[in-house]
Amino acid sequence: MDDEEKIARGVARGIARHEAARSEAQTRQFLGCLLLFAVFGVGFILLVTYGS
């Protein structure tokens, strides 16, 4: 195996790790926004139901 193959393999591995981390961060952000939306939705329903 020559140096170019080692470098190419290392770059591909680095890109794969970066994409995995980015995907995980996007998933976490999406779930956080979904949770926030759910909290506001429940709060709004409670306000409309029991508010004066």
Side-chain angles (χ1 to χ4, degrees):
M1 181 184 305
D2 60 347
D3 289 340
E4 285 183 18
E5 288 181 24
K6 288 181 183 178
I7 292 171
R9 208 176 270 179
V11 169
R13 197 177 312 123
I15 289 173
R17 285 181 186 162
H18 175 72
E19 286 298 316
R22 189 178 62 82
S23 175
E24 185 178 320
Q26 280 183 332
T27 301
R28 231 181 294 121
Q29 183 179 11
F30 173 72
L31 291 176
C33 289
L34 197 62
L35 177 64
L36 193 63
F37 181 73
V39 168
F40 279 116
V42 169
F44 179 75
I45 289 171
L46 291 175
L47 179 69
V48 168
T49 303
Y50 298 111
S52 296

